[in-house]
C-alpha cells in the first residue's frame, strides 16, 4: 500500500513499517500514525480487500466505523502490556535453577521420545532380518544334513 501511494508521502513510513513487522512490540503507535493507517485503510481497504470472502464491508465509512469503534489502539496497548509481562515472567523463570532443570528434563524427555519412536521404526525391519536369517540358517542346516546323508 505504501508503494501505491507514491504521490502521497507517508510521513511516518519507518514507524509504519516497524508496526507491520512487529506489531505487538512496536512502541510508537500514536494517534497520528493511527490516523495515517485509518486513512490508508479508508483509501485502499475496500479496493484491496473486496474480493476476499471474509471481508464484509461495502463502504469506506463502514470500515472506518469498525476500526475506530473497536478501540484498536487500546487493544494494541493491552497486547503489548501482556507481552511485556510475559517476557518479564520468562526472564524471572530463566533465573531460577529449578526452572532450567525442568526445561532440561523436558528436552531430555523429548529426545528420549524421539529416540523411542526411531527405535520402534527399526523393530519391524530387524524382525524381518531375523526371520530371513532364521530361514537362511534352516536352509543351510537342511543342505548340511542332505550332504552328510
Amino acid at each position: 500500500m505504501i508503494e501505491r501511494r507514491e504521490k502521497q508521502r507517508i510521513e511516518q513510513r519507518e514507524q509504519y513499517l516497524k508496526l507491520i513487522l512487529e506489531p505487538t512490540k512496536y512502541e510508537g503507535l500514536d494517534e497520528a500514525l493511527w490516523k495515517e493507517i485509518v486513512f490508508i485503510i479508508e483509501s485502499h481497504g475496500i479496493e484491496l480487500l473486496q474480493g476476499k470472502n471474509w471481508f464484509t464491508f461495502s463502504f469506506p465509512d463502514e470500515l472506518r466505523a469498525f476500526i475506530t469503534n473497536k478501540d484498536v489502539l487500546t487493544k494494541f496497548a493491552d497486547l503489548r502490556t501482556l507481552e511485556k509481562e510475559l517476557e518479564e515472567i520468562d526472564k524471572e523463570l530463566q533465573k531460577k535453577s529449578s526452572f532450567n532443570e525442568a526445561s532440561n528434563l523436558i528436552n531430555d524427555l523429548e529426545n528420549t521420545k524421539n529416540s523411542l519412536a526411531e527405535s520402534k521404526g527399526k523393530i519391524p525391519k530387524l524382525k524381518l532380518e531375523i526371520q530371513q536369517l532364521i530361514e537362511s540358517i534352516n536352509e543351510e542346516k537342511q543342505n548340511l544334513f542332505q550332504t552328510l546323508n
Side-chain angles (χ1 to χ4, degrees):
M1 283 187 280
I2 292 171
E3 299 304 326
R4 289 182 60 167
R5 292 188 57 209
E6 289 175 1
K7 293 180 184 175
Q8 297 175 338
R9 185 176 163 266
I10 295 177
E11 294 176 7
Q12 296 171 313
R13 184 173 189 263
E14 291 300 316
Q15 289 84 3
Y16 184 64
L17 290 173
K18 288 177 188 173
L19 171 65
I20 291 170
L21 295 175
E22 289 189 291
T24 59
K25 294 183 179 181
Y26 180 68
E27 297 292 336
L29 186 58
D30 59 7
E31 205 168 320
L33 180 58
W34 184 243
K35 285 179 184 176
E36 189 70 25
I37 292 168
V38 170
F39 173 75
I40 291 169
I41 292 170
E42 284 178 324
S43 304
H44 302 289
I46 299 289
E47 175 188 336
L48 293 172
L49 298 173
Q50 65 188 6
K52 308 290 184 198
N53 61 356
W54 50 264
F55 190 74
T56 59
F57 305 101
S58 342
F59 302 103
D61 291 342
E62 291 177 2
L63 183 57
R64 187 181 210 293
F66 175 79
I67 292 165
T68 55
N69 286 338
K70 291 294 183 181
D71 285 354
V72 177
L73 282 173
T74 306
K75 299 226 184 290
F76 261 82
D78 292 345
L79 188 56
R80 279 196 306 273
T81 302
L82 180 61
E83 189 172 52
K84 284 180 184 176
E85 288 173 5
L86 289 174
E87 285 175 359
E88 287 300 316
I89 290 170
D90 188 49
K91 285 178 188 175
E92 289 299 316
L93 286 174
Q94 295 293 335
K95 292 177 185 176
K96 298 187 182 269
S97 62
S98 58
F99 176 78
N100 290 326
E101 186 178 328
S103 293
N104 291 337
L105 288 172
I106 289 171
N107 289 337
D108 291 346
L109 176 63
E110 287 301 316
N111 291 337
T112 304
K113 283 182 181 179
N114 291 338
S115 296
L116 177 63
E118 189 178 310
S119 297
K120 282 184 178 180
K122 291 180 181 178
I123 289 175
K125 183 180 176 184
L126 289 173
K127 283 183 177 180
L128 180 62
E129 288 177 8
I130 290 170
Q131 185 61 38
Q132 289 172 346
L133 285 172
I134 290 172
E135 289 172 6
S136 176
I137 289 172
N138 287 337
E139 285 177 14
E140 288 298 320
K141 277 184 185 177
Q142 287 179 356
N143 288 339
L144 184 63
F145 285 138
Q146 286 177 353
T147 307
L148 291 174
N149 288 333

